[in-house]
């Protein structure tokens, strides 16, 4: 028997909400067609279990996305299909009584499928398969019992398919709303997990779940970046405040004015060439792991694209996801060691400075004890001495190189160094005094204000 209505091909992505058609007066043929539709629908209601079996089997064969759900919950899926068919077929007979119940069922299915992770295309396909099967059964029953009335169904075909489109729109909207809620919950859960790791408050028992959700290894090596002063991207863009080298994984988190990035570094440091011992003693052999990790961090820092004025602190390498909180504190210590003008500081390369900023009170006390006598000078005179002293230390004690930096003669540098020694009572050729002076200068520079 030829099909009464031709197959319909519609886009499965996001069907627009169906606007109710304006009321129109039905012709005599229309009223007769409605009566034929109601009669066939009542027969279909009596044979609903058999229709449900056929639709479930068709879904199993034609829609792979449903197979896993059917294997896991066969009874629940059958009941769901049966419930949906019952309300929808009843809505064809008594739309006022069953319309809202049918909508609730469709919304529930959309939400449930989103939670199960069934693709929206598959859900739309399933609903259209059900609509096509109901329509074909209505036509077949009429053709078998009352063949003379088959032609009348053409007058209600558009109404039936508009009904299917309406429920597809209901399902799609419910699916998207549920998907948004699930996405928000997932993102919020990931933010909470990331915050717990960085705060060091994550429980050991929760680490496997956090590792799975964040796609990080429990046993692995990590470093943390702390970034301040970088202009942030507009809210919601997800762009980090700075760029890392291509292929560098990073999990970003914002904590107040500081942006933090967890950097997974793999399970073993890169190989490092160890220098042969100079005197045959074991103390001359560097730790390959430490050397490799430092080189790895140095390469990572070299690959950063830091905005002007931004300050970046890079932690030491720590072992295990449970130690990420320690890495965060190390990164923030490195960040406090950054000059106010900006730049990148690797903690491992600035450990003496890190000691100063880790104890601001002691650092300030040291600066006052060592450099306090200079504060009795004229500010301009004091600043010249401090600038010269800083250049001399940065030049490894070379008056020649310090003079080149300051555009003055080496003897001028030496004269200023002697004056500093006379004012402070420190001897710059004495190692312990040189260490104190260097730390005092770092404390004054970093802790000022």
């Amino acid at each position: 028997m030829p099909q009464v209505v031709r197959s319909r091909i519609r886009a499965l992505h996001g069907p627009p909400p169906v606007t109710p058609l304006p009321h129109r007066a039905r012709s005599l043929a229309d009223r007769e067609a409605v009566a034929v539709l109601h009669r066939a629908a009542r027969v279909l209601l009596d044979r609903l279990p058999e229709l449900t079996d056929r639709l479930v089997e068709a879904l199993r064969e034609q829609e792979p996305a449903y197979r896993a759900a059917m294997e896991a919950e066969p009874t629940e899926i059958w009941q769901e299909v049966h419930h949906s068919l019952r309300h929808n077929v009843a809505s064809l007979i008594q739309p006022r009584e069953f319309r809202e119940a049918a909508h609730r069922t469709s919304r529930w299915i959309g939400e449930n499928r989103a939670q199960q992770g069934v693709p929206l295309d598959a859900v739309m396909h399933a609903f259209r398969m059900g609509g096509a099967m109901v329509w074909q059964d209505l036509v077949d029953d009429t053709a078998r019992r009352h063949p003379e009335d088959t032609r009348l169904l053409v007058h209600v075909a558009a109404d039936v398919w508009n009904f299917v489109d309406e429920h597809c729109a209901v399902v799609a909207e419910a699916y998207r709303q549920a998907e948004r809620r699930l996405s928000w919950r997932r993102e919020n859960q990931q933010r909470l997990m990331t915050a717990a790791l960085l705060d060091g408050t994550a429980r050991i028992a929760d680490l496997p779940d956090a590792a799975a959700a964040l796609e990080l290894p429990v046993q692995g090596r990590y470093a943390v970046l702390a970034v301040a002063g970088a202009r942030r991207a507009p809210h919601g863009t997800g762009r980090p405040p700075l760029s890392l080298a291509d292929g560098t994984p990073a999990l970003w988190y914002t904590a107040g004015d500081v942006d933090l990035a967890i950097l997974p570094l793999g399970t073993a440091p890169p190989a490092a060439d160890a220098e042969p011992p100079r005197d045959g003693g074991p103390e001359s052999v560097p730790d390959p792991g430490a050397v490799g990790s430092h080189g790895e961090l140095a390469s990572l820092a070299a690959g950063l694209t830091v905005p002007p004025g931004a300050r970046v602190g890079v932690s030491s390498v720590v072992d295990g996801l449970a130690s990420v909180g320690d890495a965060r504190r190390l990164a923030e210590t490195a960040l406090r060691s950054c000059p106010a003008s900006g730049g990148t500081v690797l903690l491992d390369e600035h450990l003496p400075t890190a000691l100063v900023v880790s104890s601001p009170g002691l650092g300030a006390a040291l600066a006052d004890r060592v450099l306090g006598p200079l504060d009795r000078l004229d500010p301009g005179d004091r600043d010249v001495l401090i600038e010269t002293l800083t250049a001399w230390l940065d030049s490894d004690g070379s008056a020649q190189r310090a003079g080149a930096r300051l555009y003055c003669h080496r003897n001028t540098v030496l004269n200023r160094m002697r004056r500093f020694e006379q004012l402070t009572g420190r001897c710059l050729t004495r190692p312990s005094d040189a260490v104190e002076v260097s730390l005092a200068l770092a404390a004054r520079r970093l802790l000022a204000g």
Side-chain angles (χ1 to χ4, degrees):
M1 183 187 73
Q3 295 288 332
V4 173
V5 96
R6 65 176 180 272
S7 64
R8 298 155 55 88
I9 301 176
R10 290 177 177 266
L12 296 180
H13 297 281
V18 178
T19 303
L21 296 176
H23 177 73
R24 60 182 177 85
R26 287 189 176 274
S27 65
L28 178 61
D30 286 341
R31 291 195 295 273
E32 292 177 348
V34 169
V36 170
L37 174 66
H38 289 178
R39 182 180 62 200
R42 291 189 184 94
V43 174
L44 199 58
L45 279 176
D46 294 336
R47 296 191 290 109
L48 212 54
E50 183 266 337
L51 174 60
T52 302
D53 290 339
R54 285 192 288 118
L55 180 53
V56 168
E57 187 59 32
L59 286 173
R60 187 191 304 276
E61 294 177 357
Q62 301 180 35
E63 190 46 73
Y66 268 76
R67 289 174 189 162
M70 289 179 178
E71 291 174 0
E73 301 176 336
T75 302
E76 288 78 358
I77 295 296
W78 192 95
Q79 291 289 350
E80 178 184 297
V81 173
H82 183 270
H83 195 63
S84 177
L85 287 173
R86 181 163 59 85
H87 280 93
N88 290 340
V89 174
S91 293
L92 296 177
I93 305 170
Q94 296 175 291
R96 291 183 180 178
E97 290 79 358
F98 288 94
R99 175 187 171 92
E100 184 53 38
H103 278 193
R104 283 197 302 270
T105 299
S106 296
R107 282 193 293 268
W108 184 86
I109 291 174
E111 293 174 356
N112 196 39
R113 290 293 168 266
Q115 293 172 358
Q116 293 175 339
V118 178
L120 180 57
D121 284 358
V123 182
M124 294 292 96
H125 185 209
F127 260 75
R128 294 194 181 281
M129 286 175 62
M133 191 170 289
V134 167
W135 173 250
Q136 192 60 52
D137 276 19
L138 293 172
V139 173
D140 290 347
D141 180 77
T142 302
R144 184 172 59 256
R145 295 171 180 269
H146 307 279
E148 70 281 359
D149 293 337
T150 304
R151 59 182 178 77
L152 291 173
L153 290 178
V154 174
H155 295 276
V156 293
D159 293 339
V160 172
W161 283 104
N162 282 340
F163 177 85
V164 174
D165 288 345
E166 177 183 347
H167 278 265
C168 283
V170 170
V171 169
E173 179 59 23
Y175 186 101
R176 293 192 183 95
Q177 289 181 358
E179 199 172 39
R180 285 192 291 270
R181 288 195 299 271
L182 290 169
S183 177
W184 181 87
R185 290 173 186 168
R186 184 167 52 251
E187 292 174 1
N188 190 53
Q189 183 184 40
Q190 290 175 346
R191 281 194 297 269
L192 292 174
M193 289 178 172
T194 304
L197 290 174
L198 289 166
D199 291 342
T201 57
R203 299 183 303 177
I204 297 298
D206 294 335
L207 289 180
D209 290 339
L214 301 175
E215 298 182 357
L216 297 172
V218 174
Q219 302 299 330
R221 297 160 53 255
Y222 290 93
V224 170
L225 289 183
V227 185
R231 184 177 180 181
R232 292 177 179 172
H235 178 70
T237 62
R239 295 201 301 272
L242 54 79
S243 300
L244 291 86
D246 291 342
T248 303
L251 178 60
W252 286 95
Y253 179 82
T254 299
D257 295 331
V258 177
D259 292 291
L260 302 167
I262 300 175
L263 306 177
L265 302 176
T267 56
D273 295 330
E275 296 181 2
R278 297 178 182 177
D279 57 4
E283 67 279 0
S284 301
V285 181
D287 179 2
V291 174
S293 295
H294 177 72
E296 190 175 10
L297 291 178
S299 298
L300 185 149
L304 296 177
T305 302
V306 182
R311 296 179 294 118
V312 182
V314 184
S315 75
S316 304
V317 175
V318 299
D319 290 320
L321 198 58
S323 300
V324 166
D326 296 332
R328 182 247 182 100
R329 288 184 284 276
L330 295 175
E332 290 179 334
T333 299
L335 182 63
R336 292 195 296 272
S337 303
C338 286
S341 58
T344 301
V345 167
L346 273 69
L347 183 71
D348 290 349
E349 295 180 354
H350 296 78
L351 292 177
T353 304
L355 289 174
V356 171
V357 298
S358 295
S359 182
L362 292 178
L366 176 64
D368 184 64
R369 187 165 73 90
V370 175
L371 304 176
L374 301 183
D375 292 334
R376 294 191 290 270
L377 300 175
D378 178 84
D381 195 13
R382 178 199 62 204
D383 292 345
V384 168
L385 283 181
I386 289 179
E387 182 184 21
T388 304
L389 179 61
T390 301
W392 183 80
L393 290 170
D394 290 344
S395 301
D396 298 326
S398 169
Q400 186 75 34
R401 291 201 299 272
R405 287 190 178 193
L406 299 172
Y407 303 101
C408 65
H409 196 273
R410 64 181 298 275
N411 290 338
T412 302
V413 174
L414 292 174
N415 289 334
R416 292 173 182 173
M417 294 299 94
R418 280 193 292 271
R419 187 179 179 210
F420 172 82
E421 290 179 334
Q422 292 169 357
L423 290 170
T424 62
R426 308 288 167 173
C427 178
L428 294 174
T429 58
R430 186 182 301 133
S432 59
D433 284 359
V435 169
E436 280 195 346
V437 169
S438 178
L439 291 176
L441 283 173
R444 174 160 291 197
R445 182 181 73 252
L446 295 171
L447 302 177

